[in-house]
Amino acid sequence: MAGSKMKLELSRVVQGKGRLGVLKGLGRTGQHSLKIPGCLLYTHFGSVPHLTQDTLHTMRDLPSVTQVTLSTIAEHQEVLEEFKDGFRKFAGLHDTVLYCSLHDPATSCPTGHTTNKTVSVWGSGGRIELTAAKFMALQRTIQPDWYQSMADGETWLSDTSRKRVRKSVDRTLAHLDECLLVHKNSQEFEGAEILGVVEGGDILEERLRSARETAKRPVGGFCLDGFQAGSMDQALRTQLINAVTKELPEDKPRLLQGVGQPDEVLACVGAGVDLFEAFFPFQVTERGCALCFSFDISPDPERAGSAPSTVLELEQERDAPVEAQQNGDNMVDGQTQMTSFEMNLKDKRYQDDFRPLVEGCGCYCCRNHKRAYLHHLLVTNELLAGVLLMIHNTAHYQGFFSALREALATDKLDLLQRRVLSKGDRPGGKSE
């Protein structure tokens, strides 16, 4: 692709699949890099929920790639066209690589609105139908560094027929060819990367066909779609991803859409996935919860993010029942189930708990505030609750990915899995 500088340098491949390395040459000028396995920076219309840009950038080790979605941008196309300078400048973003996906991974959207020539996204004003021409016109206006190709991704439901899955793969490849033609012939996309989308539902043959055909095209990387949390059994998901990644070139990144829980991330990294959408901390924040799972594989608790004594305390707390339904006020489309990786700070047990959320965590929230204060903010519906929780949950999640890379580098992946999964069956709410 003309002007492309992106290069994936792998330093290790663990157990034949888990990939450790660095994506270099990111962005139109090629000055950014991103360690893998890693995650993107999740945003709503360019803003991390609850946080201003200045608050966000008081945090260390943020991902260099920011995710925005067409579902929130499409209805503002005319304004952005008049603005002319692209979405990054329009949203006041700091220096970052901009990635544009089709849908918001934290929200579900209705199915049944695709045709051979169109896909639909949902903004605040309702459904917006996109042809390939309109899709590419939007991308010209947004001026992203990466963008997901247009795709028919409505085959994640378990009862989808084989015929419908085959049609989805055919449509997605046709959309990709249309997008690539415009991409190649448009000066505005010089230096930008288009990511091909691998579809195929839960049918192995269609997954393999989609992967092989997409890999033949001049794409910068791959989006693995239709594996969203709750839509597929973890064992089947891992089996299909293992098969798909065998068909993909080793020198291009694989981004998995819709999967964010730590246990699922570990399984998918082991199957050859490089990048994830970091929407999970937002969902946890909206539930009034704080991430508190252990990923301590280092003798230095400050490096690992969680002190061993805290892990024991949290395990004891989870032995008591947690009423996940108390979190019903602040939910995101169907994401109501509290997981075993978080604590419910609305629970009365925290009203006189004067410890930080997680001992040893270096985030602003844990350094300055106690669980009792967060409980108070939540039960009184103070906006500051979301700010402090989002700071902690983002930092904790980034710490997990740092520990994951360290585990791959030091042959401690099994140890990390034991740490993370040790509370997978606690009554704090089971993952689906």
Side-chain angles (χ1 to χ4, degrees):
M1 216 163 287
S4 174
K5 303 178 181 66
M6 186 168 77
K7 182 180 180 182
L8 175 57
E9 296 183 0
L10 294 177
S11 54
R12 290 196 78 187
V13 179
V14 179
Q15 298 172 358
K17 282 289 184 177
R19 290 150 48 103
L20 180 70
V22 183
L23 265 173
K24 294 185 175 179
L26 305 185
R28 299 290 179 112
T29 58
Q31 79 273 29
H32 293 284
S33 63
L34 181 64
K35 295 176 181 177
I36 65 163
C39 62
L40 313 180
L41 189 66
Y42 172 76
T43 73
H44 279 173
F45 204 62
S47 175
V48 174
H50 302 290
L51 305 182
T52 66
Q53 280 286 306
D54 288 343
T55 301
L56 174 68
H57 286 273
T58 61
M59 303 171 65
R60 296 179 302 167
D61 302 323
L62 290 170
S64 60
V65 181
T66 298
Q67 179 179 5
V68 297
T69 59
L70 277 187
S71 55
T72 57
I73 296 177
E75 58 194 334
H76 304 287
Q77 182 174 2
E78 291 183 5
V79 174
L80 286 167
E81 285 175 348
E82 187 175 345
F83 181 68
K84 293 186 173 59
D85 290 329
F87 184 79
R88 183 174 11 236
K89 190 171 181 180
F90 181 76
L93 299 180
H94 288 238
D95 190 24
T96 186
V97 178
L98 196 65
Y99 165 64
C100 185
S101 63
L102 195 59
H103 302 292
D104 186 335
T107 61
S108 59
C109 57
T111 58
H113 296 276
T114 62
T115 70
N116 287 336
K117 295 294 183 181
T118 67
V119 300
S120 292
V121 296
W122 273 259
S124 59
R127 183 168 73 96
I128 302 170
E129 194 170 53
L130 301 176
T131 61
K134 184 169 183 179
F135 174 87
M136 292 304 289
L138 266 167
Q139 299 297 349
R140 280 198 194 92
T141 301
I142 296 166
Q143 300 176 25
D145 300 293
W146 298 357
Y147 63 98
Q148 170 196 347
S149 176
M150 198 167 99
D152 174 5
E154 294 191 359
T155 57
W156 52 269
L157 296 173
S158 58
D159 59 349
T160 305
S161 69
R162 181 178 288 268
K163 181 180 178 181
R164 177 66 182 88
V165 171
R166 189 182 307 118
K167 181 181 287 188
S168 141
V169 172
D170 291 339
R171 284 174 173 174
T172 298
L173 290 169
H175 293 328
L176 175 58
D177 288 337
E178 284 189 84
C179 292
L180 282 169
L181 185 62
V182 176
H183 184 104
K184 179 182 177 181
N185 295 323
S186 300
Q187 185 69 31
E188 297 95 327
F189 294 112
E190 180 77 20
E193 299 281 3
I194 184 169
L195 304 188
V197 183
V198 177
E199 298 289 356
D202 58 3
I203 299 174
L204 177 61
E205 294 83 359
E206 290 302 322
R207 281 285 174 189
L208 295 177
R209 181 169 73 93
S210 181
R212 288 168 185 157
E213 290 298 320
T214 305
K216 294 176 182 177
R217 273 75 168 173
V219 296
F222 304 91
C223 293
L224 310 185
D225 190 27
F227 295 107
Q228 285 86 343
S231 66
M232 187 178 293
D233 174 73
Q234 176 64 60
L236 177 59
R237 177 195 290 143
T238 303
Q239 176 189 353
L240 290 172
I241 292 175
N242 263 308
V244 164
T245 54
K246 286 179 183 177
E247 304 297 327
L248 302 178
E250 292 188 354
D251 61 345
K252 293 180 180 180
R254 301 96 176 248
L255 167 64
L256 180 61
Q257 297 181 311
V259 172
Q261 282 189 197
D263 55 338
E264 297 173 331
V265 167
L266 286 170
C268 294
V269 166
V273 172
D274 300 320
L275 295 170
F276 298 82
E277 301 169 309
F279 60 95
F280 184 60
F282 166 65
Q283 291 178 336
V284 174
T285 298
E286 294 299 279
R287 288 193 281 267
C289 295
L291 288 173
C292 57
F293 62 96
S294 174
F295 44 80
D296 179 11
I297 59 169
S298 165
D300 179 356
E302 289 195 357
R303 284 186 64 205
S306 299
S309 61
T310 303
V311 175
L312 294 176
E313 291 165 358
L314 291 170
E315 288 186 354
Q316 291 166 1
E317 288 173 8
R318 286 193 187 84
D319 286 334
V322 176
E323 296 181 13
Q325 65 269 24
Q326 291 179 0
N327 299 322
D329 299 335
N330 230 354
M331 293 301 164
V332 181
D333 296 344
Q335 303 291 343
T336 61
Q337 183 64 52
M338 181 180 168
T339 70
S340 59
F341 304 102
E342 57 201 88
M343 68 174 91
N344 175 13
L345 286 157
K346 291 181 181 178
D347 194 289
K348 287 185 178 180
R349 78 179 76 172
Y350 298 114
Q351 67 183 2
D352 56 358
D353 188 337
F354 304 116
R355 291 172 293 173
L357 299 181
V358 175
E359 293 285 356
C361 177
C363 81
Y364 174 86
C365 180
C366 289
R367 284 187 286 110
N368 293 279
H369 299 293
K370 309 302 179 188
R371 298 177 185 183
Y373 183 57
L374 269 295
H375 172 80
H376 162 75
L377 293 175
L378 285 164
V379 299
T380 55
N381 293 316
E382 289 288 347
L383 294 177
L384 182 58
V387 175
L388 295 176
L389 283 175
M390 197 65 190
I391 288 173
H392 168 77
N393 290 335
T394 299
H396 199 81
Y397 201 64
Q398 295 301 325
F400 162 63
F401 274 95
S402 179
L404 175 52
R405 292 188 292 270
E406 181 183 349
L408 287 169
T410 58
D411 294 316
K412 293 182 178 178
L413 192 57
D414 289 343
L415 174 59
L416 177 63
Q417 288 174 326
R418 289 197 299 272
R419 289 282 190 268
V420 171
L421 301 179
S422 62
K423 296 179 287 295
D425 59 352
R426 295 284 174 179
K430 295 180 181 178
S431 57
E432 296 181 351

